[in-house]
């Protein structure tokens, strides 16, 4: 697989305009993606890519799924927006279906992951202020976590690279080491109103919670009347082979779970799911979102949720997750460039080793030039979040291309 070096004038012009006119906070690849089908995408120049990143875990049912396009078109012909002054059927039904599929009693809809976590942070503070007055305000989060880019969520994100220069940051956050159960005693106490934690840290390098860690967090939360809030924006919605990643920990019942990424199949929608302890906390006037629960996004999300809950889909996640790991293991045995393959289901990180460490970006770009899109999670981890309905043929094709790219990296003496 080789990419034609030739770019059309239109591609060059669009890339140049984007580079000139976007605020330069991103560094997009120099191509223009134009259309997609299943786990494949094509750029304007006709190059084909196997999509092993799904728009950062968003297009979990691939590109152009007919059932999603139908739901979108049907709703687009009825009603686009009403505001939350009124109920609309797609959002009401979606709320009911999310509760039926989970621990939740009530749902708040928003438009992104950061907004869902922002809602959770506000809910936690309000819940504690109603029950305990002003002294119980601290939210505990974990080093290496990622919770979003708004000021409160970037403060919850205990990684200096996301915070530098944006000070003053909101008060009331405390950080703790992930997977260090012994450190919880000290971090979670009388001042704690909630703990916000990812069952698998995504951006932080695809780091799963060790068995028992979330249960230990839950126990400390119960002991101090703090809410257990799980950020499942990346790990949730069948990504790990169960609807929520926390379900892998026996008997765990959260108070709040935030979701977004995969929920709309590519349309922006997020949600905060709330269990009985805090379901009544946010009373009229306390919080809101103009676009939250948008009818089109909700109509599509209902189809997404139904599909993600199906046994066939969950079985495919497990099946393809094992196949992906086998391919990575085989490559590692040949080239020795991976220190560890970690994650669950189709949320997989390959930790780079030795002289490969720190080069995830470089290798990702090489992959792209060989027609496969992979993600990184920090400089040391290649991250795979393919569509959950990816087929044997699509995954094989993607990993064949990955293998060619890795061979080239080895031959070029970069490894
Ligand atoms: C992506 C992500 C977010 C932020 O979601 P946005 O939609 O980008 O605001 C928050 N938490 C986790 C775990 C994520 O992966």
């Amino acid at each position: 697989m080789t990419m034609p070096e030739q770019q059309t004038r239109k591609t060059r012009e669009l890339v140049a305009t984007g580079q000139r006119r976007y605020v330069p906070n991103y560094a997009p690849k120099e191509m223009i993606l134009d259309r997609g089908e299943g786990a494949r995408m094509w750029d304007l120049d006709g190059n084909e890519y196997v999509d092993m990143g799904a728009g950062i875990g968003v297009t979990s049912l691939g590109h152009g799924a007919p059932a999603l396009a139908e739901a979108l078109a049907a709703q687009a012909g009825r009603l686009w927006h009403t505001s939350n002054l009124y109920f609309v059927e797609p959002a009401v039904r979606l709320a009911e279906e999310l509760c039926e599929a989970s621990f939740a009693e009530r749902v708040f809809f928003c438009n992104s992951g950061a907004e869902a976590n922002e809602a959770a942070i506000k809910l936690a503070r309000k819940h504690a202020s109603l029950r305990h007055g002003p002294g119980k305000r601290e939210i505990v989060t974990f080093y290496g976590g990622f919770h979003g880019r708004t000021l409160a969520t970037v403060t919850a994100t205990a990684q200096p690279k996301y915070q530098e220069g944006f000070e003053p940051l909101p008060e009331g956050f405390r950080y703790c080491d992930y997977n260090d159960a012994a450190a919880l005693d000290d971090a979670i106490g009388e001042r704690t109103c909630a703990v916000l934690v990812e069952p698998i840290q995504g951006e932080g390098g695809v780091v799963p919670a060790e068995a028992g860690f979330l249960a230990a967090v839950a126990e400390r939360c119960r002991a101090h009347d703090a809410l257990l809030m799980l950020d499942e924006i990346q790990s949730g919605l069948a990504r790990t082979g169960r609807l929520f990643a926390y379900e892998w920990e026996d008997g765990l019942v959260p108070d709040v779970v935030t979701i977004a990424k995969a929920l709309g199949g590519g349309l922006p929608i997020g949600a905060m799911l709330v269990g009985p302890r805090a379901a009544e906390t946010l009373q009229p006037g306390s919080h809101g979102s103009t676009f939250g629960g948008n009818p089109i996004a909700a109509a599509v999300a209902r189809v997404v949720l139904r599909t993600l809950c199906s046994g066939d889909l969950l079985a495919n996640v497990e099946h393809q997750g094992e196949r992906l790991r086998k391919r990575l293991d085989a490559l590692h045995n040949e080239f020795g460039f991976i220190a560890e393959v970690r994650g669950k289901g189709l949320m997989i990180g390959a930790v780079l080793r030795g002289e490969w460490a720190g080069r995830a970006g470089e290798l990702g770009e090489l992959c792209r030039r060989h027609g496969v899109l992979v993600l990184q999670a920090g400089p040391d981890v290649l991250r795979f979040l393919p569509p959950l309905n990816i087929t044997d043929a699509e995954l094989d094709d993607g990993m064949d291309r990955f293998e060619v790219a890795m061979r080239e990296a080895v031959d070029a003496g970069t490894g």
Side-chain angles (χ1 to χ4, degrees):
M1 179 66 38
T2 48
M3 291 283 131
E5 294 294 313
Q6 207 65 29
Q7 287 192 331
T8 61
R9 244 181 83 176
K10 186 170 176 188
T11 293
R12 284 200 307 277
E13 189 266 318
L14 282 169
V15 166
T17 305
Q19 288 173 340
R20 190 169 67 245
R21 291 305 188 192
Y22 279 15
V23 167
N25 60 319
Y26 304 117
K29 310 289 179 236
E30 299 195 358
M31 63 173 168
I32 303 293
L33 288 171
D34 185 49
R35 67 193 171 87
E37 196 182 319
R40 292 175 199 278
M41 284 194 283
W42 291 269
D43 68 18
L44 266 186
D45 301 335
N47 301 308
E48 184 190 79
Y49 303 90
V50 178
D51 181 7
M52 300 293 283
I56 320 187
V58 169
T59 47
S60 277
L61 298 177
H63 301 284
L68 303 193
E70 269 165 43
L72 185 144
Q75 187 58 40
R78 300 185 78 85
L79 196 59
W80 287 26
H81 175 81
T82 59
S83 85
N84 285 297
L85 299 173
Y86 314 99
F87 284 124
V88 286
E89 181 171 1
V92 169
R93 296 256 184 248
L94 177 61
E96 177 78 346
E97 288 154 4
L98 283 167
C99 289
E100 278 167 1
S102 75
F103 71 99
E105 236 166 49
R106 291 181 180 273
V107 178
F108 170 78
F109 287 119
C110 52
N111 314 288
S112 68
E115 278 180 76
N117 283 336
E118 190 83 23
I121 290 164
K122 286 180 69 178
L123 174 128
R125 287 185 175 177
K126 182 72 105 182
H127 180 255
S129 96
L130 293 170
R131 290 167 62 91
H132 301 278
K136 198 174 176 66
R137 274 294 191 280
E138 216 163 73
I139 295 176
V140 172
T141 64
F142 294 88
Y143 291 112
F146 182 84
H147 301 294
R149 304 287 203 148
T150 63
L151 269 177
T153 58
V154 90
T155 308
T157 297
Q159 300 194 57
K161 67 175 176 181
Y162 294 110
Q163 301 178 342
E164 269 158 25
F166 298 117
E167 304 83 356
L169 300 172
E171 292 172 14
F173 291 86
R174 178 177 174 141
Y175 308 139
C176 186
D177 283 331
Y178 194 64
N179 278 334
D180 183 355
L184 297 174
D185 277 358
D186 205 36
I188 304 170
E190 285 316 302
R191 313 152 312 279
T192 312
C193 66
V195 176
L196 177 63
V197 58
E198 292 163 272
I200 301 179
Q201 290 189 332
E203 307 301 314
V206 192
V207 184
E210 282 164 14
F213 179 67
L214 292 178
V217 173
E219 196 188 306
R220 285 301 286 178
C221 285
R222 286 288 177 273
H224 293 282
D225 198 25
L227 297 178
L228 175 61
M229 311 202 296
L230 303 179
D231 180 341
E232 292 247 25
I233 288 162
Q234 193 162 146
S235 61
L237 297 171
R239 179 52 58 189
T240 66
R242 297 199 178 167
L243 189 60
F244 297 103
Y246 78 77
E247 293 171 26
W248 293 101
E249 182 84 45
D250 269 352
L252 192 83
V253 183
D255 298 304
V256 172
V257 169
T258 52
I259 52 178
K261 288 192 165 87
L263 182 57
L267 289 186
I269 180 170
M272 171 178 68
L273 313 180
V274 192
R277 278 178 83 203
E280 311 301 325
T281 299
L282 293 178
Q283 289 293 310
S286 61
H287 191 53
S289 161
T290 299
F291 288 123
N294 170 273
I296 296 178
V300 173
R302 292 186 66 202
V303 184
V304 171
L305 181 65
R306 201 177 310 143
T307 313
L308 294 181
C309 287
S310 79
D312 281 356
L313 189 285
L314 294 170
N316 192 59
V317 174
E318 196 182 328
H319 170 68
Q320 302 297 354
E322 278 166 18
R323 297 180 76 246
L324 176 51
R325 270 174 186 273
K326 276 204 189 105
R327 289 296 299 260
L328 289 172
D329 286 345
L331 279 175
H332 170 63
N333 288 338
E334 193 175 345
F335 302 128
F337 68 107
I338 298 170
E340 184 190 1
V341 177
R342 61 194 180 199
K344 201 135 190 101
L346 284 173
M347 182 170 183
I348 298 287
V351 186
L352 298 168
R353 201 182 73 156
E355 63 260 66
W356 299 80
R359 292 170 140 170
E362 191 186 313
L363 292 179
E365 175 58 16
L366 192 60
C367 288
R368 183 184 76 84
R369 283 196 264 114
H370 284 279
V372 56
L373 304 180
V374 305
L375 304 168
Q376 57 183 111
D380 300 329
V381 180
L382 289 173
R383 179 170 42 153
F384 298 81
L385 301 172
L388 304 182
N389 61 354
I390 193 168
T391 63
D392 284 5
E394 288 166 335
L395 189 115
D396 288 345
D397 192 5
M399 293 312 287
D400 288 347
R401 295 172 191 214
F402 181 75
E403 185 173 332
V404 174
M406 291 305 114
R407 257 178 224 293
E408 186 179 301
V410 170
D411 291 346
T414 54

